[in-house]
């Protein structure tokens, strides 16, 4: 009797670091300073997840493109990650990483916004030791569990110090 194994899709590791950067309240200046410091040839991909109120429009892509030395892309569904690029989540979306591709889904209304945790968790599971998590200014605790997941899977984490405009998120 001949049985055929099912070929289930396996996540593929990227050969370059993926830097997830999360912030909410007061995060614009922190995002701007971080993006301005990125060199043109870091060979890393940067994914910005802003924790926004559902009725707030994001102008982050436009604002950060003024200081960036590398291309900034507003994320569309199924966008492939590439080094020396910055990717920005659009408003009212949740973001995950799978197999080197960024996937968008609608944000559930009337639920606690955990966009940073959701993205950081998927980043950790897919990219393992090539996942980096950076948590900047913000209120609440979004990002805390995601940073723990990144560390657990061998990645590296950073939190903004006391200079954060709103330090709840980094202190958590």
């Amino acid at each position: 009797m001949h049985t055929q194994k099912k070929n289930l899709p396996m996540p593929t590791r990227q050969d370059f670091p993926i830097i997830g950067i999360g912030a909410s309240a007061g995060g614009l200046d922190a995002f701007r300073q971080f993006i301005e410091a990125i060199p043109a040839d870091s060979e890393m991909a940067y994914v910005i997840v802003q924790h926004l109120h559902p009725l707030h429009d994001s102008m982050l892509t436009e604002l950060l493109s003024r200081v960036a030395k590398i291309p900034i892309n507003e994320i569309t569904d199924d966008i492939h990650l590439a080094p020396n690029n910055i990717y920005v989540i659009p408003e009212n979306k949740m973001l995950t990483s799978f197999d080197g591709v960024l996937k968008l889904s609608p944000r559930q209304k009337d639920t606690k916004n955990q966009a940073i945790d959701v993205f950081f968790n998927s980043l950790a599971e897919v990219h393992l030791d090539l996942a980096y998590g950076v948590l900047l200014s913000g209120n609440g605790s979004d990002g805390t569990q995601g940073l723990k997941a990144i560390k657990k899977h061998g990645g590296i984490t950073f939190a903004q110090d006391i200079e954060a405009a709103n330090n709840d998120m980094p202190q958590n």
Side-chain angles (χ1 to χ4, degrees):
M1 186 170 152
H2 185 281
T3 58
Q4 191 174 26
K5 290 185 180 178
K6 288 185 179 179
N7 290 330
L8 298 175
M10 295 279 300
T12 57
R13 295 216 21 225
Q14 303 295 303
D15 63 352
F16 54 90
I18 313 297
I19 317 301
I21 309 158
S24 70
L28 180 58
D29 283 338
F31 278 139
R32 187 179 294 127
Q33 289 175 28
F34 190 96
I35 297 306
E36 197 168 22
I38 296 172
D41 59 354
S42 71
E43 296 304 316
M44 300 178 190
Y46 303 86
V47 182
I48 294 177
V49 180
Q50 188 176 28
H51 177 125
L52 284 175
H53 185 278
L55 300 176
H56 186 83
D57 289 335
S58 176
M59 299 201 40
L60 199 54
T61 304
E62 180 184 330
L63 294 171
L64 295 179
S65 66
R66 297 175 188 163
V67 298
K69 298 170 190 77
I70 58 178
I72 294 190
N73 311 280
E74 184 161 295
I75 299 167
T76 57
D77 205 18
D78 297 334
I79 194 167
H80 289 262
L81 291 168
N84 299 318
N85 276 272
I86 300 167
Y87 303 90
V88 179
I89 188 173
E91 63 268 352
N92 286 317
K93 298 289 183 182
M94 299 300 280
L95 179 67
T96 55
S97 177
F98 178 76
D99 201 21
V101 177
L102 297 177
K103 300 248 182 215
L104 291 173
S105 60
R107 179 174 168 217
Q108 299 293 320
K109 293 182 181 185
D110 301 325
T111 61
K112 187 176 178 184
N113 187 352
Q114 294 297 115
I116 300 168
D117 274 333
V118 168
F119 178 68
F120 282 2
N121 279 313
S122 71
L123 185 67
E125 290 171 9
V126 173
H127 299 286
L128 306 172
D129 62 330
L130 291 174
Y132 289 65
V134 179
L135 198 55
L136 303 174
S137 178
N139 292 320
S141 62
D142 190 15
T144 303
Q145 294 305 314
L147 287 181
K148 287 178 183 176
I150 289 172
K151 283 186 100 155
K152 177 183 165 193
H153 285 88
I156 297 175
T157 62
F158 300 91
Q160 188 174 4
D161 63 12
I162 57 173
E163 293 181 15
N166 293 287
N167 61 7
D168 286 355
M169 283 171 40
Q171 283 187 352
N172 277 311

